[in-house]
Amino acid sequence: MAHITNTTTNMTTDPRFEIDFDDDGENPQDWPMIKKALVIFFMSYSTLVVVMYSTSYTSGIPGMMATFGIHSKTLVILGITTYLAGLALGSLLLAPLSEMYGRRPVYLIAVATFTILIIPCALSNNLVQILVMRFFGAIAGAAMISNAPGTVSDIVSDDYRALAFSIWSIGPMNGPVIGPLVGGFVYQALGWRWTNWVVMIGSGTSWFMVFLIKETYAPAILRAKSAKKRKETDDSRWHSRYDDKKAFLPMLRENLYRPLSMAINEPICIFWNVYIALVYGVLYLCFVSYPIVFSELRGWSPGLTGLSYMGIGIGGMCTILSEPLLRKMINKHPKDPETGKPYPEAMVSVVCLAAISVPVGEMIFAWTCTPNVHWIAPLLAGIPFGAGNCGVFIYASNYLVHSYGIYAASALAGNAVLRSMMGGTLPLAGPKMYATLGPHWSATMLSLIEFAMIPIPLVFYRYGHKIREKSALIRQMREDRDKLDSKKQRAAEKVARREAGEKGEGVEKDMEV
């Protein structure tokens, strides 16, 4: 209770003074379908801009090396590392802010800050300034990555949530591919500084989009409504069920501690974090290896090298568009009698397929990437690779969400930190690895490591329910839920007895009359 701060209300439990949503579309879940679709599009686009900036940077690396007189490509690749580190830290810092103040204020301030911090990168005269500014810019941009899924969840009912998330994920899943595609042509035509200006234009557009969106977070809406009612009526009895809110520092401390604690102590988080981080790291290594394979070995221009990522993008879109079919496959699994929905392990069935698809695509790329093989072969290899990556990220995250319930945000936050660390550090080894082992064996080694990791999703698909039963946190969560259900049942019985008593007294009075 020390972590709770109260607003100026007497916290009455009198239901007559409880503020709730009206029936005039005030509740975001009651918004018209066209408005919801527009919000999802705005969120998807805004997240795409943030994610694409992580990889559009790679297109301008040769230009930055020439401008600053740098001969080590690894040194310039640090721009990816600092950006992903900023995204990881920003996700932990900005997530609690939206719970306190609502989504909209966080979006407006964070996106504006992200847009402004791109300017020093575009005008920079040294690499250090770019590395530092990309780090702080990523902290601000992380608001879209950490809070956009919450906005989608705010406006969509449970029945359509999976479909809504699939549509939203088109942006963040294709952002890493669109980055070098756009960046390649921009660098070729206008130079490396314009790879920043183009993202800034996109981010400025994103700010106007989030400006047009009303608040979607129900607790923030009702807190503001109850405060307004108390001010208008000068009656402190008006309240909402969300008037109690945690102070920022305790919430921040919890946001920093629990994800790291779960990442270390929870077996489910340990194995999935390692697996997803490896897949993510190899994906970001592609944004270093593709320029080596297509620009240096095949002599393609920067713009054409950007087009080489199309296979990965097409594969990701295939997974997203297959969501209805994959959902049918998931729903055919045995149902949990308590919820009536499939067990979380049903999600892992998709990950098992994706876990095979990723190394297969990488292995095909390994032995078709040299100039003696037609260029279409390594591009086509990107399709199973991209489809597998998208399947792993979406459905492994869904597994963590369904496994940890109210602690899902912490599980995903811990995963995001490790994933970003791997995505930021593995590309640093790219130039040296490809120079030492050559393109064939470099990609083959990565493929073999991914093949070796396939047992992780297979084991969880077969024995995940037993692993979840041994989780102390999940067991505690189940006990807390049972206590809450018992408390609600006792309260309902108490209300029923009171109503029965009042009804009996009314009958006695009628008889006396």
Side-chain angles (χ1 to χ4, degrees):
M1 290 301 292
H3 292 175
I4 303 297
T5 56
N6 294 334
T7 59
T8 55
T9 169
N10 65 356
M11 294 309 299
T12 176
T13 56
D14 190 338
R16 295 175 301 170
F17 293 93
E18 182 177 350
I19 295 291
D20 208 340
F21 289 117
D22 297 328
D23 296 329
D24 57 355
E26 192 177 34
N27 187 344
Q29 294 211 353
D30 295 334
W31 287 354
M33 184 61 67
I34 185 65
K35 188 174 182 179
K36 291 182 180 180
L38 201 61
V39 170
I40 294 173
F41 169 73
F42 286 172
M43 290 294 105
S44 183
Y45 171 82
S46 300
T47 313
L48 180 147
V49 172
V50 173
V51 176
M52 72 175 281
Y53 193 39
S54 66
T55 55
S56 63
Y57 172 86
T58 60
S59 302
I61 286 178
M64 284 183 277
M65 291 176 67
T67 300
F68 303 138
I70 298 173
H71 303 290
S72 171
K73 181 180 287 187
T74 302
L75 195 61
V76 187
I77 292 172
L78 277 171
I80 299 176
T81 306
T82 58
Y83 192 84
L84 291 179
L87 289 181
L89 180 59
S91 297
L92 294 176
L93 295 176
L94 298 180
L97 285 177
S98 71
E99 295 183 19
M100 289 190 66
Y101 304 109
R103 318 275 190 212
R104 192 169 185 269
V106 174
Y107 287 146
L108 291 175
I109 296 172
V111 175
T113 304
F114 175 75
T115 305
I116 292 169
L117 290 177
I118 295 175
I119 298 174
C121 295
L123 300 176
S124 177
N125 293 318
N126 59 78
L127 180 63
V128 174
Q129 182 179 340
I130 292 177
L131 300 181
V132 172
M133 288 298 103
R134 279 178 64 83
F135 173 74
F136 287 108
I139 291 177
M144 297 310 308
I145 293 175
S146 61
N147 294 329
T151 296
V152 175
S153 181
D154 291 341
I155 64 174
V156 180
S157 63
D158 291 340
D159 295 336
Y160 298 99
R161 191 158 289 157
L163 178 61
F165 274 113
S166 294
I167 296 171
W168 167 78
S169 66
I170 292 174
M173 287 296 156
N174 285 284
V177 175
I178 294 174
L181 195 156
V182 173
F185 283 106
V186 170
Y187 167 65
Q188 183 177 326
L190 301 170
W192 69 268
R193 296 187 187 276
W194 269 93
T195 61
N196 295 285
W197 294 126
V198 168
V199 174
M200 194 187 80
I201 293 169
S203 182
T205 306
S206 169
W207 188 88
F208 281 104
M209 287 181 173
V210 297
F211 178 78
L212 295 174
I213 299 174
K214 293 182 178 179
E215 181 58 63
T216 63
Y217 190 48
I221 296 172
L222 292 178
R223 281 198 297 261
K225 187 176 179 182
S226 65
K228 182 180 178 181
K229 189 70 173 178
R230 288 193 296 271
K231 185 177 180 180
E232 290 176 348
T233 61
D234 197 25
D235 189 342
S236 62
R237 288 177 295 177
W238 291 102
H239 69 283
S240 77
R241 57 186 176 276
Y242 300 110
D243 278 352
D244 281 356
K245 60 181 181 180
K246 289 185 178 180
F248 175 68
L249 287 179
M251 190 182 293
L252 178 61
R253 186 163 56 245
E254 183 178 296
N255 258 41
L256 293 174
Y257 170 75
R258 184 182 285 152
L260 299 179
S261 173
M262 291 175 67
I264 295 172
N265 299 319
E266 285 291 309
I268 296 174
C269 291
I270 293 171
F271 285 104
W272 280 112
N273 287 353
V274 170
Y275 179 68
I276 296 174
L278 176 69
V279 173
Y280 197 71
V282 174
L283 173 64
Y284 267 81
L285 183 58
C286 287
F287 301 111
V288 176
S289 62
Y290 269 50
I292 295 173
V293 167
F294 290 99
S295 292
E296 297 178 14
L297 297 183
R298 293 180 181 266
W300 286 18
S301 66
L304 289 177
T305 300
L307 287 173
S308 66
Y309 297 96
M310 285 182 61
I312 300 176
I314 291 170
M317 285 300 297
C318 288
T319 299
I320 293 171
L321 295 175
S322 300
E323 197 278 335
L325 296 176
L326 297 174
R327 183 61 48 185
K328 286 183 179 180
M329 183 179 80
I330 291 170
N331 288 335
K332 287 181 179 179
H333 285 74
K335 303 287 193 301
D336 184 345
E338 290 185 8
T339 63
K341 297 179 180 180
Y343 289 99
E345 285 69 37
M347 302 285 178
V348 186
S349 62
V350 180
V351 183
C352 292
L353 299 176
I356 298 172
S357 181
V358 171
V360 166
E362 185 71 21
M363 185 65 78
I364 295 172
F365 176 81
W367 295 98
T368 61
C369 62
T370 47
N372 61 308
V373 181
H374 194 277
W375 58 265
I376 195 66
L379 260 70
L380 292 177
I383 294 178
F385 179 77
N389 270 279
C390 192
V392 168
F393 296 146
I394 292 177
Y395 292 95
S397 298
N398 273 340
Y399 177 71
L400 292 175
V401 168
H402 283 75
S403 296
Y404 285 103
I406 60 173
Y407 300 118
S410 296
L412 294 177
N415 178 263
V417 171
L418 188 59
R419 185 181 70 201
S420 297
M421 288 171 58
M422 184 69 78
T425 54
L426 197 56
L428 295 174
K432 187 69 174 177
M433 182 178 69
Y434 269 77
T436 305
L437 300 178
H440 289 317
W441 287 106
S442 296
T444 298
M445 182 184 69
L446 296 172
S447 177
L448 292 175
I449 293 173
E450 289 173 330
F451 271 119
M453 302 291 279
I454 289 178
I456 290 179
L458 292 178
V459 167
F460 272 92
Y461 180 61
R462 182 70 181 83
Y463 302 105
H465 62 288
K466 293 183 179 179
I467 298 174
R468 284 190 293 111
E469 288 174 359
K470 294 181 179 180
S471 167
L473 189 61
I474 294 177
R475 190 163 55 247
Q476 177 192 335
M477 185 176 67
R478 190 180 297 117
E479 291 172 358
D480 290 344
R481 186 179 60 206
D482 292 342
K483 289 179 182 177
L484 181 61
D485 290 343
S486 176
K487 186 177 180 181
K488 288 181 177 179
Q489 184 177 356
R490 288 197 302 269
E493 291 173 354
K494 185 176 180 180
V495 170
R497 285 196 300 269
R498 187 190 307 128
E499 291 178 350
E502 291 175 353
K503 187 175 181 182
E505 290 177 2
V507 171
E508 290 179 3
K509 289 181 180 179
D510 289 342
M511 292 178 65
E512 290 176 1
V513 172

